[in-house]
Coordinates of all heavy atoms in Angstrom, one line a residue:
M7 N 0.8 -1.3 0.0 CA 0.0 0.0 0.0 C 1.0 1.3 0.0 O 1.8 1.3 0.7 CB -0.8 0.0 1.2 CG -1.9 1.1 1.3 SD -2.9 1.3 -0.1 CE -4.4 0.8 0.6
F8 N 0.5 2.2 -0.9 CA 1.3 3.5 -0.9 C 1.0 4.4 0.2 O -0.2 4.4 0.6 CB 1.1 4.1 -2.2 CG 1.9 3.4 -3.4 CD1 1.5 2.5 -4.0 CD2 3.2 4.0 -3.6 CE1 2.2 1.8 -5.0 CE2 3.9 3.3 -4.6 CZ 3.5 2.2 -5.3
S9 N 1.9 5.2 0.6 CA 1.7 6.3 1.6 C 2.1 7.6 1.0 O 2.8 7.6 -0.1 CB 2.7 6.1 2.8 OG 2.2 4.9 3.5
T10 N 1.7 8.7 1.5 CA 2.1 10.0 1.0 C 2.5 10.9 2.1 O 2.3 10.6 3.2 CB 0.9 10.7 0.4 OG1 -0.2 10.9 1.4 CG2 0.2 10.0 -0.8
K11 N 3.4 11.7 1.6 CA 4.0 12.7 2.7 C 4.2 14.0 1.9 O 4.7 14.0 0.8 CB 5.4 12.3 3.2 CG 6.0 13.3 4.2 CD 7.4 12.7 4.7 CE 7.9 13.8 5.7 NZ 9.1 13.4 6.3
Q12 N 3.7 15.1 2.5 CA 3.8 16.4 2.0 C 4.8 17.3 2.7 O 4.7 17.4 3.9 CB 2.5 17.1 1.9 CG 2.6 18.6 1.2 CD 1.3 19.3 1.2 OE1 0.4 19.0 1.9 NE2 1.3 20.5 0.6
V13 N 5.9 17.9 2.0 CA 6.7 18.8 2.5 C 6.7 20.1 1.7 O 7.1 19.9 0.5 CB 8.1 18.3 2.6 CG1 9.2 19.2 3.2 CG2 8.2 16.9 3.4
D14 N 6.2 21.1 2.2 CA 6.0 22.4 1.5 C 5.1 22.1 0.2 O 4.0 21.5 0.4 CB 7.3 23.0 1.1 CG 8.1 23.4 2.3 OD1 7.6 23.8 3.3 OD2 9.4 23.3 2.3
N15 N 5.7 22.3 -1.0 CA 5.0 22.1 -2.2 C 5.2 20.6 -2.9 O 4.9 20.6 -4.0 CB 5.1 23.2 -3.2 CG 4.5 24.5 -2.8 OD1 3.5 24.5 -2.1 ND2 5.1 25.6 -3.2
T16 N 5.9 19.9 -2.1 CA 6.3 18.6 -2.7 C 5.6 17.4 -2.1 O 5.5 17.4 -0.8 CB 7.8 18.3 -2.5 OG1 8.6 19.4 -3.1 CG2 8.2 17.1 -3.1
W17 N 5.0 16.6 -2.9 CA 4.3 15.4 -2.4 C 5.2 14.2 -2.7 O 5.7 14.0 -4.0 CB 2.9 15.2 -3.1 CG 1.9 16.1 -2.5 CD1 1.6 17.3 -2.9 CD2 1.0 15.9 -1.4 NE1 0.7 18.0 -2.1 CE2 0.2 17.0 -1.2 CE3 0.9 14.8 -0.6 CZ2 -0.8 17.0 -0.2 CZ3 -0.2 14.8 0.4 CH2 -1.0 15.9 0.5
Y18 N 5.3 13.3 -1.8 CA 6.1 12.1 -1.9 C 5.2 10.9 -1.8 O 4.3 10.8 -1.0 CB 7.1 11.8 -0.9 CG 8.2 12.9 -0.8 CD1 8.1 14.0 0.0 CD2 9.3 12.8 -1.7 CE1 9.0 15.0 0.0 CE2 10.4 13.9 -1.5 CZ 10.0 15.0 -0.8 OH 11.1 16.0 -0.7
Y19 N 5.2 9.9 -2.9 CA 4.3 8.8 -2.9 C 5.3 7.6 -2.8 O 6.2 7.5 -3.6 CB 3.5 8.7 -4.3 CG 2.6 9.7 -4.3 CD1 2.8 11.0 -4.9 CD2 1.2 9.7 -3.8 CE1 1.9 12.1 -4.9 CE2 0.3 10.7 -3.9 CZ 0.6 11.9 -4.5 OH -0.2 13.0 -4.6
F20 N 5.2 6.7 -1.8 CA 6.1 5.7 -1.7 C 5.5 4.5 -1.0 O 4.3 4.6 -0.4 CB 7.2 6.1 -0.9 CG 6.9 6.7 0.6 CD1 7.1 5.8 1.6 CD2 6.3 7.9 0.7 CE1 6.7 6.2 2.9 CE2 5.9 8.3 1.9 CZ 6.2 7.4 3.1
N21 N 6.1 3.3 -1.0 CA 5.6 2.1 -0.3 C 6.5 2.0 0.8 O 7.7 1.6 0.7 CB 5.7 0.9 -1.2 CG 5.1 -0.4 -0.6 OD1 5.1 -0.4 0.5 ND2 4.7 -1.3 -1.5
P22 N 6.0 2.1 2.1 CA 6.8 2.1 3.4 C 7.3 0.7 3.6 O 8.3 0.5 4.3 CB 5.8 2.5 4.4 CG 4.5 2.4 3.9 CD 4.5 2.5 2.4
D23 N 6.8 -0.3 3.0 CA 7.2 -1.7 3.1 C 8.5 -1.9 2.3 O 9.2 -2.8 2.6 CB 6.1 -2.7 2.7 CG 4.9 -2.8 3.5 OD1 5.1 -2.4 4.7 OD2 3.8 -3.0 3.1
L24 N 8.7 -1.0 1.3 CA 9.9 -1.2 0.5 C 11.0 -0.2 0.7 O 12.0 -0.2 0.2 CB 9.5 -1.1 -1.1 CG 8.6 -2.3 -1.4 CD1 8.1 -2.1 -2.9 CD2 9.1 -3.6 -1.2
L25 N 10.7 0.8 1.6 CA 11.6 2.0 1.8 C 11.9 2.1 3.3 O 11.1 2.5 4.0 CB 11.0 3.2 1.2 CG 11.9 4.4 1.2 CD1 13.0 4.2 0.2 CD2 11.1 5.7 0.8
D26 N 13.2 1.8 3.6 CA 13.6 2.0 5.0 C 14.2 3.4 5.2 O 14.2 4.0 6.4 CB 14.7 1.0 5.4 CG 14.2 -0.4 5.9 OD1 12.9 -0.3 6.3 OD2 14.8 -1.4 5.9
E27 N 14.7 4.0 4.1 CA 15.3 5.2 4.2 C 14.4 6.3 4.5 O 13.2 6.3 4.2 CB 16.1 5.5 2.8 CG 17.3 4.6 2.6 CD 17.0 3.2 2.1 OE1 15.7 3.0 1.8 OE2 17.7 2.3 2.1
N28 N 14.9 7.4 4.9 CA 14.1 8.7 5.1 C 13.5 9.1 3.8 O 14.2 9.2 2.8 CB 14.9 9.8 5.7 CG 14.2 11.1 5.8 OD1 14.1 11.9 4.8 ND2 13.8 11.5 6.9
V29 N 12.3 9.4 3.7 CA 11.5 9.6 2.5 C 12.2 10.8 1.7 O 12.4 10.8 0.6 CB 10.1 9.8 2.7 CG1 9.3 10.2 1.4 CG2 9.4 8.5 3.3
E30 N 12.3 11.9 2.4 CA 12.9 13.1 1.7 C 14.3 12.8 1.2 O 14.6 13.2 0.0 CB 12.9 14.2 2.7 CG 11.5 14.8 3.0 CD 11.6 15.9 4.1 OE1 12.2 17.0 3.7 OE2 11.2 15.7 5.2
S31 N 15.0 12.1 2.0 CA 16.4 11.8 1.5 C 16.4 10.8 0.3 O 17.2 11.0 -0.6 CB 17.3 11.1 2.6 OG 17.4 12.1 3.6
A32 N 15.6 9.8 0.5 CA 15.5 8.8 -0.6 C 15.1 9.3 -2.0 O 15.5 8.8 -3.0 CB 14.5 7.6 -0.2
F33 N 14.5 10.5 -2.1 CA 14.1 11.0 -3.4 C 15.1 12.1 -3.8 O 14.8 12.8 -4.7 CB 12.6 11.6 -3.4 CG 11.6 10.6 -3.4 CD1 11.2 9.9 -2.2 CD2 11.1 10.2 -4.5 CE1 10.2 8.9 -2.4 CE2 10.1 9.2 -4.7 CZ 9.6 8.6 -3.5
N34 N 16.3 12.2 -3.1 CA 17.4 13.1 -3.5 C 18.6 12.3 -3.9 O 19.2 11.6 -3.1 CB 17.7 14.0 -2.3 CG 18.6 15.0 -2.5 OD1 19.4 15.0 -3.5 ND2 18.5 16.1 -1.7
I35 N 18.9 12.6 -5.1 CA 20.1 11.7 -5.7 C 21.4 12.0 -5.0 O 22.3 11.2 -4.9 CB 20.2 12.0 -7.2 CG1 21.1 10.8 -7.8 CG2 20.8 13.4 -7.6 CD1 20.7 9.6 -7.7
A36 N 21.6 13.2 -4.4 CA 22.7 13.6 -3.6 C 22.9 12.7 -2.4 O 24.0 12.2 -2.0 CB 22.7 15.0 -3.1
Y37 N 21.6 12.1 -1.8 CA 21.8 11.2 -0.7 C 22.5 10.0 -1.1 O 23.2 9.4 -0.4 CB 20.3 11.0 -0.2 CG 20.1 9.8 0.8 CD1 20.4 10.0 2.1 CD2 19.7 8.6 0.3 CE1 20.1 9.0 3.0 CE2 19.6 7.5 1.3 CZ 19.8 7.7 2.5 OH 19.6 6.7 3.4
W38 N 22.0 9.4 -2.3 CA 22.5 8.1 -2.7 C 24.1 8.2 -3.3 O 24.9 7.4 -3.0 CB 21.7 7.6 -3.9 CG 20.3 7.4 -3.4 CD1 19.2 8.2 -3.7 CD2 19.9 6.4 -2.7 NE1 18.0 7.6 -3.2 CE2 18.5 6.6 -2.5 CE3 20.4 5.2 -2.0 CZ2 17.6 5.7 -1.6 CZ3 19.6 4.4 -1.4 CH2 18.2 4.6 -1.1
R39 N 24.3 9.5 -3.9 CA 25.7 9.7 -4.3 C 26.6 9.7 -3.1 O 27.7 9.1 -3.1 CB 25.7 11.0 -5.1 CG 27.1 11.2 -5.7 CD 27.1 12.5 -6.5 NE 26.3 12.4 -7.8 CZ 25.2 13.0 -8.1 NH1 24.9 14.2 -7.3 NH2 24.6 12.9 -9.2
Q40 N 26.3 10.4 -2.0 CA 27.1 10.5 -0.8 C 27.3 9.1 -0.2 O 28.4 8.9 0.4 CB 26.4 11.4 0.2 CG 27.1 11.7 1.5 CD 26.4 12.7 2.4 OE1 25.2 12.4 2.6 NE2 27.0 13.6 2.8
R41 N 26.4 8.1 -0.4 CA 26.6 6.8 0.2 C 27.3 5.8 -0.8 O 27.4 4.7 -0.5 CB 25.2 6.2 0.6 CG 24.9 6.9 2.0 CD 23.4 6.9 2.2 NE 23.0 7.6 3.3 CZ 23.2 9.0 3.6 NH1 23.6 9.6 2.6 NH2 22.9 9.5 4.7
G42 N 27.5 6.3 -2.0 CA 28.1 5.5 -3.0 C 27.2 4.3 -3.5 O 27.7 3.2 -3.9
A43 N 25.9 4.7 -3.5 CA 24.9 3.6 -3.7 C 24.3 3.7 -5.1 O 23.4 3.1 -5.4 CB 23.7 3.8 -2.7
I44 N 24.9 4.6 -6.0 CA 24.3 4.7 -7.4 C 24.9 3.5 -8.2 O 26.1 3.3 -8.2 CB 24.7 6.0 -8.0 CG1 24.1 7.2 -7.3 CG2 24.3 5.9 -9.5 CD1 24.5 8.5 -7.8
I45 N 24.1 2.7 -8.7 CA 24.4 1.5 -9.5 C 24.3 1.6 -11.0 O 24.6 0.7 -11.7 CB 23.8 0.3 -8.9 CG1 22.3 0.2 -9.0 CG2 24.3 0.0 -7.6 CD1 21.6 -0.9 -8.6
G46 N 23.7 2.8 -11.5 CA 23.6 2.9 -12.9 C 22.8 4.2 -13.2 O 22.1 4.8 -12.3
S47 N 22.7 4.6 -14.5 CA 21.9 5.7 -14.8 C 21.5 5.5 -16.3 O 22.2 4.8 -17.1 CB 22.5 7.0 -14.6 OG 23.6 7.1 -15.4
A48 N 20.5 6.2 -16.7 CA 20.0 6.1 -18.2 C 19.5 7.5 -18.5 O 18.9 8.2 -17.6 CB 19.0 5.2 -18.4
Q49 N 19.7 8.0 -19.7 CA 19.3 9.3 -20.2 C 18.2 9.1 -21.2 O 18.2 8.2 -22.0 CB 20.5 10.0 -21.0 CG 21.6 10.3 -20.1 CD 21.3 11.6 -19.3 OE1 21.1 12.6 -19.8 NE2 21.2 11.5 -18.0
G50 N 17.3 10.1 -21.1 CA 16.1 10.1 -22.0 C 15.6 11.5 -22.0 O 16.4 12.5 -22.2
R51 N 14.3 11.8 -21.6 CA 13.8 13.2 -21.4 C 14.4 13.8 -20.2 O 14.5 14.9 -20.0 CB 12.3 13.1 -21.4 CG 11.6 12.7 -22.6 CD 10.3 13.1 -22.4 NE 9.4 12.4 -23.6 CZ 8.2 12.1 -23.6 NH1 7.4 12.5 -22.5 NH2 7.6 11.5 -24.6
G52 N 14.9 12.9 -19.3 CA 15.5 13.4 -18.1 C 16.5 12.3 -17.7 O 17.0 11.6 -18.6
T53 N 16.8 12.2 -16.5 CA 17.7 11.0 -16.1 C 17.1 10.3 -15.1 O 16.4 10.6 -14.3 CB 19.1 11.7 -15.3 OG1 19.6 12.6 -16.2 CG2 20.0 10.6 -15.0
T54 N 17.4 8.9 -15.4 CA 16.8 7.9 -14.3 C 18.1 7.3 -13.6 O 19.0 6.9 -14.4 CB 16.1 6.7 -15.1 OG1 14.9 7.2 -15.7 CG2 15.6 5.6 -14.0
W55 N 18.1 7.3 -12.3 CA 19.2 6.8 -11.6 C 18.8 5.5 -10.9 O 17.7 5.4 -10.4 CB 19.6 7.9 -10.4 CG 20.0 9.2 -11.0 CD1 19.2 10.3 -11.1 CD2 21.3 9.6 -11.3 NE1 20.0 11.3 -11.6 CE2 21.2 10.8 -11.7 CE3 22.5 8.9 -11.4 CZ2 22.3 11.6 -12.2 CZ3 23.7 9.5 -11.8 CH2 23.5 10.8 -12.2
F56 N 19.6 4.6 -11.0 CA 19.4 3.3 -10.3 C 20.3 3.2 -9.1 O 21.5 3.5 -9.1 CB 19.8 2.2 -11.2 CG 19.0 2.2 -12.5 CD1 19.4 2.8 -13.7 CD2 17.7 1.8 -12.6 CE1 18.7 2.9 -14.8 CE2 16.8 1.8 -13.7 CZ 17.4 2.4 -14.8
V57 N 19.6 2.9 -7.9 CA 20.3 3.0 -6.7 C 20.1 1.8 -5.8 O 19.0 1.1 -6.0 CB 20.0 4.3 -5.8 CG1 20.3 5.5 -6.5 CG2 18.5 4.3 -5.5
Q58 N 20.9 1.5 -5.0 CA 20.9 0.3 -4.0 C 20.4 0.7 -2.7 O 21.3 1.3 -1.9 CB 22.1 -0.5 -4.0 CG 22.0 -1.8 -3.3 CD 21.0 -2.8 -3.9 OE1 21.2 -3.1 -5.1 NE2 20.2 -3.2 -3.1
G59 N 19.2 0.5 -2.3 CA 18.8 0.8 -1.0 C 18.9 -0.4 0.0 O 19.3 -1.5 -0.5
S60 N 18.4 -0.3 1.2 CA 18.6 -1.3 2.2 C 17.7 -2.6 1.8 O 17.9 -3.7 2.3 CB 18.3 -0.8 3.5 OG 17.0 -0.4 3.7
K61 N 16.5 -2.3 1.1 CA 15.6 -3.4 0.8 C 15.5 -3.7 -0.7 O 14.7 -4.4 -1.1 CB 14.2 -3.0 1.3 CG 14.0 -3.0 2.8 CD 12.6 -2.9 3.2 CE 12.5 -3.0 4.7 NZ 11.1 -3.0 5.0
G62 N 16.5 -3.2 -1.4 CA 16.5 -3.5 -2.9 C 17.0 -2.4 -3.7 O 17.4 -1.3 -3.2
A63 N 17.0 -2.6 -5.0 CA 17.3 -1.5 -6.0 C 16.2 -0.7 -6.4 O 15.1 -1.2 -6.5 CB 18.0 -2.2 -7.2
Y64 N 16.4 0.6 -6.5 CA 15.3 1.5 -6.8 C 15.7 2.3 -8.1 O 16.9 2.5 -8.4 CB 15.1 2.6 -5.7 CG 14.8 1.9 -4.3 CD1 15.6 2.3 -3.2 CD2 13.9 0.9 -4.1 CE1 15.6 1.6 -2.0 CE2 13.8 0.4 -2.8 CZ 14.6 0.6 -1.8 OH 14.4 0.2 -0.6
A65 N 14.7 2.8 -8.8 CA 14.8 3.8 -9.9 C 14.3 5.1 -9.5 O 13.2 5.2 -9.1 CB 14.2 3.2 -11.1
L66 N 15.1 6.2 -9.6 CA 14.6 7.5 -9.4 C 14.7 8.3 -10.7 O 15.7 8.3 -11.4 CB 15.5 8.1 -8.4 CG 15.6 7.6 -7.0 CD1 16.6 8.3 -6.2 CD2 14.3 7.5 -6.4
S67 N 13.7 8.9 -11.1 CA 13.6 9.6 -12.5 C 13.6 11.1 -12.2 O 12.7 11.6 -11.3 CB 12.5 9.2 -13.3 OG 12.7 7.9 -13.7
T68 N 14.2 11.9 -12.9 CA 14.0 13.3 -13.0 C 13.7 13.6 -14.4 O 14.2 13.1 -15.3 CB 15.3 14.1 -12.6 OG1 16.4 13.6 -13.5 CG2 15.8 13.8 -11.1
I69 N 12.6 14.4 -14.5 CA 12.2 14.8 -15.9 C 12.3 16.3 -16.1 O 11.8 17.1 -15.3 CB 10.6 14.3 -16.1 CG1 10.6 12.9 -15.9 CG2 10.2 14.7 -17.4 CD1 9.1 12.3 -15.9
A70 N 13.0 16.7 -17.2 CA 13.0 18.1 -17.5 C 11.7 18.6 -18.0 O 11.1 18.1 -18.9 CB 14.0 18.3 -18.6
V71 N 11.2 19.7 -17.3 CA 9.9 20.2 -17.6 C 10.1 21.6 -18.3 O 10.7 22.4 -17.7 CB 8.9 20.2 -16.3 CG1 7.7 21.0 -16.8 CG2 8.8 19.0 -15.7
E72 N 9.5 21.8 -19.4 CA 9.7 23.0 -20.1 C 8.3 23.8 -19.9 O 7.3 23.3 -20.3 CB 10.2 22.9 -21.5 CG 11.5 22.3 -21.5 CD 12.0 22.2 -23.1 OE1 11.4 22.9 -23.9 OE2 12.9 21.4 -23.4
A73 N 8.4 25.1 -19.7 CA 7.2 25.9 -19.6 C 7.1 26.7 -20.8 O 8.1 27.4 -21.2 CB 7.1 26.6 -18.4
Y74 N 5.9 26.8 -21.5 CA 5.8 27.7 -22.6 C 4.7 28.7 -22.2 O 3.6 28.4 -21.6 CB 5.3 26.9 -23.8 CG 6.3 25.9 -24.3 CD1 6.4 24.6 -23.8 CD2 7.5 26.3 -25.1 CE1 7.3 23.7 -24.2 CE2 8.3 25.4 -25.6 CZ 8.3 24.1 -25.0 OH 9.2 23.2 -25.4
S75 N 4.8 30.0 -22.7 CA 3.8 30.9 -22.5 C 3.3 31.4 -23.8 O 3.9 31.6 -24.8 CB 4.5 32.2 -21.7 OG 5.5 32.7 -22.5
A76 N 1.9 31.5 -23.8 CA 1.2 31.9 -25.1 C 1.4 33.3 -25.2 O 1.2 34.2 -24.2 CB -0.2 31.5 -25.0
K77 N 1.7 33.9 -26.4 CA 1.8 35.3 -26.6 C 0.8 35.8 -27.6 O 0.4 35.2 -28.4 CB 3.2 35.7 -27.1 CG 4.2 35.4 -26.0 CD 5.6 35.8 -26.5 CE 6.7 35.5 -25.4 NZ 8.0 36.0 -25.7

């Protein structure tokens, strides 16, 4: 079952049965980089990082969002 956590304007959706790490930290690639837990990455519209957590491997995606204004 998924849980949610809101911090300011950010909502985190996660499965607490699969995530032992602090939720805010777990969604920050710097957290994993600092621990040497990045096991791969892939480029597309953004970057997907593959990391090794205490309960398994996870994929974190960042998507580049472009805003357009109508003139």
Side-chain angles (χ1 to χ4, degrees):
M7 182 57 106
F8 280 90
S9 293
T10 60
K11 179 179 181 179
Q12 181 182 9
V13 178
D14 298 323
N15 290 331
T16 302
W17 283 89
Y18 298 96
Y19 296 89
F20 62 99
N21 184 333
D23 293 333
L24 300 177
L25 186 66
D26 277 341
E27 293 77 14
N28 173 280
V29 174
E30 291 175 67
S31 296
F33 282 86
N34 184 336
I35 195 61
Y37 170 84
W38 300 103
R39 186 176 288 123
Q40 186 177 44
R41 282 153 185 73
I44 297 173
I45 56 177
S47 67
Q49 293 284 297
R51 291 187 194 168
T53 302
T54 299
W55 298 94
F56 302 97
V57 298
Q58 184 62 51
S60 63
K61 288 191 172 181
Y64 310 123
L66 304 173
S67 292
T68 57
I69 299 173
V71 177
E72 297 182 22
Y74 297 94
S75 61
K77 293 184 181 186

